[in-house]
Amino acid sequence: MLQNLRKLQLSETQRQGMRAAGRFNSQLMDHIRGYIQAGISTGEIDRLVHEYTLAHKHTPATLGYLGYTKSCCTSVNDVICHGIPGDYVLKDGDIINVDITSIVEGWHGDQSETFLIGNVSEKARAVTQCAFDSMHRAIGALTPGCPVSIIGENVVAESDKYGFTVVREYVGHGLGRRFHQYPNVPHFPDRKSRQDYLLPGMCFTVEPMINAGSRFTKPDTTDNWTVRTRDGSLSAQFEHTILMTEKGPEILTTCANGPKAGHRF
Ligand code: MF3
Ligand code: CO
Ligand code: CO
């Protein structure tokens, strides 16, 4: 157990690789954020991501990943995650999560934000706020060597305040030279996450998906990627890549122009 975790501890040079990947990914998120407005299609958002990444000689991690054919995920309203960019045009009142992962010199940076399009319902604003606050509450609770379950405990406590629910089928993950690696980072506490520890030098994501209705999911049986809420309720998500250091968690994907902890949507 502990031996497997120790193998994931990065050296200072390797950590610099992860920092560079997170930095580029967050610059890319800042590049697209001004375009995410009513009237743009999700396919156009994908093209912005793709072109910016290639212009900087980096690689979109999702392109070709397990057969996925786009450079980001765009998840609108009742889509929980893995929405495929296409012809859908954003309209006033929508919420959209844009999830971007880049490979920079072999290292991965992975993050997502939910954006509010124009005037949204109070429910849409609340589920977005809850996802954002639960992510930051979980990150803020991390200490060197803490159990992974700290994350789930804090996400569940925050979503309970709203009467919202936490998705279980899709979880955060370790990352580094690989996109998805050990350990799993569930956003609810379970037996495994109580026995995994976040040691200095480990990198992982915190990416809670919060539903305004029931927690249950409904994968699309036609495209085999899009995951919706089973009851049609709204869902929101935020994601950061984290490096645990000897002093505590370091967020590697902070945007210059993005919302910071404490932000009110
Ligand atoms: N970026 C997602 C994550 O946070 C994974 C997307 S995989 C894809 O882990 F193939 F759906 F793009
Ligand atoms: Co992601
Ligand atoms: Co991720």
Side-chain angles (χ1 to χ4, degrees):
M1 189 71 64
L2 209 52
Q3 303 90 287
N4 289 335
L5 292 163
R6 289 215 175 95
K7 286 183 204 147
L8 300 168
Q9 294 182 275
L10 302 184
S11 69
E12 187 50 38
T13 313
Q14 294 171 319
R15 295 180 196 193
Q16 288 301 352
M18 282 300 291
R19 288 190 178 102
R23 195 178 314 121
F24 173 74
N25 207 65
S26 61
Q27 285 164 359
L28 168 52
M29 188 66 89
D30 272 334
H31 170 68
I32 67 162
R33 74 175 57 255
Y35 295 96
I36 304 178
Q37 296 179 13
I40 195 173
S41 72
T42 54
E44 286 163 344
I45 294 171
D46 182 69
R47 195 158 56 84
L48 290 168
V49 171
H50 185 83
E51 287 178 357
Y52 186 91
T53 306
L54 268 54
H56 290 81
K57 303 199 179 331
H58 300 313
T59 306
T62 60
L63 194 58
Y65 180 76
L66 302 175
Y68 192 81
T69 60
K70 298 292 177 181
S71 297
C72 63
C73 297
T74 51
S75 301
V76 179
N77 296 334
D78 65 329
V79 177
I80 296 170
C81 62
H82 304 165
I84 304 174
D87 295 335
Y88 181 81
V89 175
L90 294 180
K91 61 179 196 314
D92 191 71
D94 283 342
I95 61 172
I96 177 173
N97 176 276
V98 181
D99 191 338
I100 305 175
T101 314
S102 304
I103 310 174
V104 174
E105 308 288 342
W107 299 99
H108 288 77
D110 186 10
Q111 75 193 109
S112 80
E113 286 183 33
T114 296
F115 297 88
L116 308 179
I117 307 303
N119 295 306
V120 306
S121 68
E122 278 315 302
K123 181 76 59 101
R125 194 179 301 278
V127 74
T128 302
Q129 188 75 53
C130 179
F132 184 75
D133 289 349
S134 66
M135 175 185 70
H136 278 295
R137 179 171 170 168
I139 295 169
L142 298 174
T143 54
C146 73
V148 170
S149 56
I150 285 277
I151 291 167
E153 282 161 10
N154 280 275
V155 170
V156 168
E158 190 63 26
S159 82
D160 281 351
K161 289 206 299 194
Y162 291 77
F164 293 156
T165 61
V166 178
V167 171
R168 295 186 172 228
E169 291 87 342
Y170 303 88
V171 299
H173 49 94
L175 79 175
R177 291 206 168 273
R178 290 199 290 149
F179 190 169
H180 294 110
Q181 66 184 31
Y182 188 66
N184 264 351
V185 181
H187 304 100
F188 54 96
D190 64 3
R191 195 193 330 184
K192 187 80 177 72
S193 64
R194 290 188 190 96
Q195 295 168 353
D196 285 328
Y197 300 92
L198 298 170
L199 306 179
M202 284 173 61
C203 290
F204 55 91
T205 70
V206 177
E207 50 177 304
M209 285 145 271
I210 304 293
N211 295 351
S214 92
R215 71 173 178 83
F216 295 104
T217 61
K218 186 177 66 176
D220 189 300
T221 51
T222 305
D223 70 24
N224 285 317
W225 281 105
T226 310
V227 180
R228 294 185 181 78
T229 58
R230 197 181 293 174
D231 64 3
S233 63
L234 294 169
S235 187
Q237 179 181 26
F238 286 83
E239 175 176 27
H240 271 312
T241 297
I242 310 293
L243 164 68
M244 180 57 81
T245 76
E246 285 71 9
K247 293 179 180 163
E250 184 178 319
I251 302 177
L252 302 186
T253 42
T254 300
C255 287
N257 300 325
K260 304 295 187 308
H263 179 84
R264 301 301 301 174
F265 288 89

